[in-house]
Amino acid sequence: MSRHFYVFRSHWLVDAPAPRVFETLAKLDEYPQWWPQVRSTRPIDEQTCEVEVRSTLPYSLRMTAHHSQKDPDAG
């Protein structure tokens, strides 16, 4: 089975204090609680989760999400 590497980036404007946004985004396993397209997460270790995403298209995307950098002071 071949492996592929993709990078998805987007910019969001959020009406909330930066520390609160950082705290929320840092909790990968809690994404399904506030992001409707994230259907499930499965923790792999402290920095990594398997994430299942489904939106308008009739299939699910399963990916691995991890922290590449985690610096609350820098946001």
Side-chain angles (χ1 to χ4, degrees):
M1 178 163 97
S2 67
R3 294 225 169 224
H4 301 282
F5 181 79
Y6 299 94
V7 176
F8 298 97
R9 295 177 191 246
S10 63
H11 296 271
W12 299 353
L13 297 177
V14 179
D15 187 21
R20 177 71 177 125
V21 173
F22 180 89
E23 179 185 325
T24 300
L25 292 176
K27 298 175 184 174
L28 296 172
D29 60 326
E30 294 183 9
Y31 278 27
Q33 295 176 18
W34 59 269
W35 193 346
Q37 289 77 22
V38 176
R39 301 301 172 94
S40 66
T41 58
R42 184 181 62 83
I44 296 172
D45 60 34
E46 289 185 18
Q47 301 297 321
T48 311
C49 270
E50 181 180 270
V51 180
E52 183 177 354
V53 180
R54 184 172 175 127
S55 190
T56 305
L57 298 175
Y59 57 86
S60 295
L61 174 66
R62 188 172 298 142
M63 60 187 151
T64 303
H66 69 276
H67 297 288
S68 59
Q69 184 176 12
K70 195 172 177 181
D71 184 353
D73 294 331

